Amino acid sequence: MEDFSYHRPVLSTETIELLALRPGSLVVDATCGGGGHTEAILQTGAAVLALDQDPDAIEFATARLTNFGRRLTLRRANFRDVAQVLDALGIAQIGGALLDLGVSSRQLENAERGFSLIRNGPLDMRMDPRQELTAAEVVNTYSEEQLTQIFREFGEEPAARRIASQLVKLRKEEPFRETLVLAKAIEKIVGRHGRRHPATQVFQALRVEVNGEFEALESALPGLTNRLEPGSRIAVITFHSLEDRIVKNFFRDRSRQFIDRPEWPEPRPNPDFMLEIVTPKPIEPDLIEQRTNPRSRSARLRVAQRIG
Ligand SMILES: C[S@@+](CC[C@H](N)C(=O)[O-])C[C@H]1O[C@@H](n2cnc3c(N)ncnc32)[C@H](O)[C@@H]1O
């Protein structure tokens, strides 16, 4: 049997240091995965509420972290619903929050989950197996226009239109069902340039669409920061520029004391002002981590602190 184990958590030392946790505080790890960051947070003496929408992650982390007893609460939930989860547990304020976005190496390496460009599996890509929309559904039923838009906006794929139009023709002959068939079809359409697989950006776009990743992030950021106690922090690790931009803009918008518009005679107080930026530039993994953990290479960590 293959071992789809979780790898080392990315930027773990930097994340723990920058979260500046107080012992006894309650931290929300909204992306539990294999529980690597959760464990590092628990080791500081803090309590953790860990969320993941993937039942496999919750099962794995429950078994791994059983020693921490009642200091750890695990919930299967989408982080876009974090406010409801906190309300259901009667938690008004939290002492820190972490989002380590994207898929885990365990999800990526298990061909059956359909995320991989190099291991054949069903075109699935759902992090939450309860949901209905799969990557196959997107590729085989969305219009050429919709596919072009997704590839462009969620994958920054320069050949979005060409790929979409060819895929729409090809799927009439035979619907796409497997990851490698799709990856090879894209390679045939755009050719191979450089070291990256030519289907990387389309696969990213499909994953973002299937899992509603940007909407979930846009809900989770205010959902978590609204609950931070004054002086406590939120840390977000992203793996591509589109995600990083959402986080950067959110932190910027919430850290401006005043806002100005051309039609206003003078700047006005920003009603959303609640954060101070801790990392003006995102933190990247050092060379040792990049070398020993390839998944970390594109990681960027941003941290902000609740004012007051
Ligand atoms: C990069 S992994 C986290 C790895 C983890 N920090 C560790 O140390 O093992 C991201 C995890 O977040 C989960 N995830 C992604 N989007 C989610 C969402 N909207 N709601 C809940 N969990 C999500 C994925 O299922 C995956 O297990």
Side-chain angles (χ1 to χ4, degrees):
M1 221 177 77
E2 268 191 88
D3 170 25
F4 307 120
S5 54
Y6 285 93
H7 293 200
R8 255 164 311 128
V10 170
L11 286 163
S12 187
T13 312
E14 294 84 346
T15 303
I16 296 299
E17 202 178 293
L18 287 166
L19 275 173
L21 300 169
R22 284 166 275 199
S25 52
L26 171 66
V27 179
V28 175
D29 178 353
T31 49
C32 178
H37 286 108
T38 298
E39 182 170 31
I41 297 168
L42 287 163
Q43 280 163 348
T44 69
V48 177
L49 167 61
L51 312 179
D52 206 294
Q53 61 177 331
D54 183 348
D56 177 59
I58 294 295
E59 197 182 316
F60 183 96
T62 305
R64 171 179 173 177
L65 302 171
T66 160
N67 288 348
F68 291 95
R70 294 180 51 168
R71 270 206 290 133
L72 171 63
T73 307
L74 283 142
R75 282 285 180 279
R76 176 180 177 180
N78 191 307
F79 58 55
R80 65 171 178 239
D81 303 322
V82 64
Q84 288 96 300
V85 176
L86 290 170
D87 287 345
L89 292 166
I91 300 167
Q93 284 204 313
I94 56 176
L98 170 64
L99 285 160
D100 173 22
L101 297 169
V103 283
S104 64
S105 32
R106 185 176 166 94
Q107 289 165 331
L108 195 63
E109 284 164 22
N110 182 351
E112 283 306 306
R113 305 296 301 266
F115 292 105
S116 177
L117 271 166
I118 49 170
R119 293 176 176 83
N120 200 25
L123 257 183
D124 189 322
M125 299 198 192
R126 291 170 301 169
M127 293 188 207
D128 177 354
R130 284 183 300 198
Q131 82 169 41
E132 278 180 15
L133 185 67
T134 63
E137 175 96 5
V138 174
V139 174
N140 294 315
T141 67
Y142 280 26
S143 69
E144 182 179 328
E145 249 348 283
Q146 286 174 305
L147 289 175
T148 305
Q149 195 184 348
I150 288 168
F151 298 161
R152 202 173 275 153
E153 286 180 17
F154 299 165
E156 297 187 294
E157 170 55 64
R161 177 161 297 285
R162 186 148 49 98
I163 297 172
S165 118
Q166 288 302 316
L167 292 184
V168 166
K169 280 190 196 129
L170 290 167
R171 76 187 186 193
K172 283 191 194 129
E173 290 159 29
E174 171 130 36
F176 288 96
R177 292 194 184 89
E178 293 175 352
T179 52
L180 283 198
V181 177
L182 179 64
K184 285 192 183 130
I186 294 167
E187 182 170 0
K188 235 173 150 184
I189 298 165
V190 292
R192 219 179 220 284
H193 318 273
R195 284 174 50 209
R196 245 160 75 136
H197 192 290
T200 304
Q201 283 152 283
V202 168
F203 268 54
Q204 173 184 305
L206 290 172
R207 206 195 76 197
V208 169
E209 170 68 10
V210 167
N211 296 289
E213 291 184 30
F214 294 164
E215 294 100 304
L217 178 59
E218 275 158 3
S219 304
L221 288 170
L224 289 164
T225 44
N226 289 346
R227 300 298 182 106
L228 286 175
E229 289 158 6
S232 63
R233 294 178 173 185
I234 176 168
V236 188
I237 303 171
T238 60
F239 291 86
H240 56 82
S241 55
L242 295 168
E243 272 175 347
D244 183 53
R245 196 178 310 152
I246 293 175
V247 179
K248 184 173 88 178
N249 290 344
F250 178 82
F251 283 1
R252 189 204 53 209
D253 293 347
R254 300 255 165 160
S255 62
R256 271 201 299 234
Q257 212 166 344
F258 292 94
I259 37 181
D260 202 0
R261 298 236 173 94
E263 65 272 24
W264 294 347
E266 57 190 32
R268 296 180 187 172
N270 176 6
D272 292 328
F273 174 51
M274 60 164 69
L275 291 177
E276 188 181 318
I277 293 174
V278 177
T279 52
K281 287 218 168 93
I283 310 288
E284 298 177 14
D286 61 27
L287 283 176
I288 298 177
E289 181 168 8
Q290 290 189 35
R291 248 180 240 148
T292 51
N293 185 4
R295 200 183 85 82
S296 75
R297 278 181 204 150
S298 50
R300 303 279 176 277
L301 166 66
R302 289 185 188 269
V303 180
Q305 176 168 318
R306 179 84 192 232
I307 53 163

